[in-house]
Amino acid sequence: MKQMIDQPLFVFVAAMAAQWLAAFVGETIRRRKVTQAEWEDFNVVRTTALTLLALIIGFTFSMAVSRYDLRKSYEEAEANAIGTEFVRADLAPAADAAKIRTLLASYLKQRIAFYETGESAQDAGRAMQATQTEMWASAARVANAAPTPTSALLASGMNDVLNAQGYAQAAWWNRIPLPAWMLMALVAIACNLLMGYGEKTANRSNLVILPVIVAIAFALIADIDSPRGGFIQVQPQNLIALQRSLAS
């Protein structure tokens, strides 16, 4: 199910089809004549349902945007942590400093690949973990060999690098809950059922307007909420800028 939500085009098509079908069913089941008083009560119910749908879509859109912003901020935090530790490598002896910088450069390349190519495959994931282990071992060796405030600062910076990756990964896993999607879909289907039931003309093109609008909103939410699918993705611009800066 999550893989389907990661595809905004699929979300649009599925939402459009389900809502239009609900509107058609609503129009079909209205057989008997309805009095003016009943129409007034029905209009109150329909307006309330549409208002609820708008509130749920707005709330869900806000959730998606906040998660997108969080992923961007953690990408920036990763770049800052790696860049700071690269500078702090001067606090280590020359041989250890060169090794730490080499490891950080390799790790930076791996993190850029994570953002650009998707979640690492199993081999790539093991390679990144191996690099993290080696980076920490190098910083810990310097700190243990000379337990001074400067070596502690080096170890602390390496800890920030590792923590930044964990925070970023947690942000990529933090998605809109599936029950929220289900609730939003059920309310949208119910609204279109009411729209179809309340349609008084024979022009069924009127029943397409709401499904199209809501389906576009669903697709946009899915696009923003998905770290991999769709067109709106977090680009590792800060990590790439850091890589260029270190290369120069």
Side-chain angles (χ1 to χ4, degrees):
M1 185 65 180
K2 290 183 178 180
Q3 294 179 348
M4 296 179 181
I5 297 176
D6 285 341
Q7 304 299 325
L9 182 60
F10 171 82
V11 173
F12 174 82
V13 173
M16 178 68 185
Q19 291 178 97
W20 183 85
L21 179 61
F24 178 77
V25 170
E27 184 195 28
T28 303
I29 62 177
R30 182 168 57 84
R31 300 296 186 183
R32 66 184 181 86
K33 293 184 178 180
V34 182
T35 64
Q36 183 64 29
E38 289 175 329
W39 273 122
E40 292 177 357
D41 294 339
F42 171 79
N43 286 332
V44 172
V45 174
R46 181 171 57 180
T47 302
T48 303
L50 291 172
T51 302
L52 176 61
L53 176 61
L55 289 174
I56 292 177
I57 290 178
F59 177 71
T60 308
F61 180 80
S62 177
M63 292 173 60
V65 170
S66 64
R67 283 161 170 75
Y68 175 78
D69 290 338
L70 189 64
R71 291 193 291 269
K72 288 178 61 178
S73 65
Y74 280 135
E75 186 272 337
E76 179 183 358
E78 275 203 89
N80 290 336
I82 295 174
T84 300
E85 184 65 4
F86 198 89
V87 174
R88 288 182 182 180
D90 289 335
L91 301 175
D96 292 319
K99 182 176 182 179
I100 290 175
R101 288 196 182 96
T102 301
L103 291 172
L104 286 172
S106 176
Y107 181 70
L108 177 60
K109 184 183 298 185
Q110 292 172 344
R111 294 307 297 159
I112 293 175
F114 169 83
Y115 281 92
E116 291 184 336
T117 63
E119 292 191 9
S120 303
Q122 187 173 3
D123 292 340
R126 284 198 295 264
M128 188 177 68
Q129 291 178 0
T131 304
Q132 289 178 328
T133 301
E134 196 170 356
M135 288 191 305
W136 176 251
S138 299
R141 182 170 55 251
V142 174
N144 291 328
T148 63
T150 54
S151 63
L153 189 62
L154 177 68
S156 176
M158 190 63 73
N159 184 68
D160 291 340
V161 171
L162 302 181
N163 284 341
Q165 184 273 330
Y167 294 146
Q169 182 63 73
W172 283 60
W173 287 337
N174 185 16
R175 306 283 302 281
I176 294 176
L178 185 59
W181 277 104
M182 296 175 62
L183 175 62
M184 190 164 56
L186 289 175
V187 174
I189 290 174
C191 287
N192 280 274
L193 188 67
L194 293 173
M195 290 293 293
Y197 187 85
E199 179 61 38
K200 298 181 179 180
T201 66
N203 185 10
R204 292 183 175 177
S205 62
N206 295 333
L207 302 179
V208 181
I209 298 176
L210 182 62
V212 169
I213 294 175
V214 176
I216 292 175
F218 281 16
L220 180 59
I221 292 172
D223 198 334
I224 296 175
D225 186 57
S226 173
R228 300 301 182 194
F231 305 98
I232 305 174
Q233 299 180 5
V234 176
Q235 299 298 326
Q237 55 187 9
N238 295 286
L239 292 171
I240 293 176
L242 174 63
Q243 187 181 51
R244 292 172 180 172
S245 176
L246 298 181
S248 63

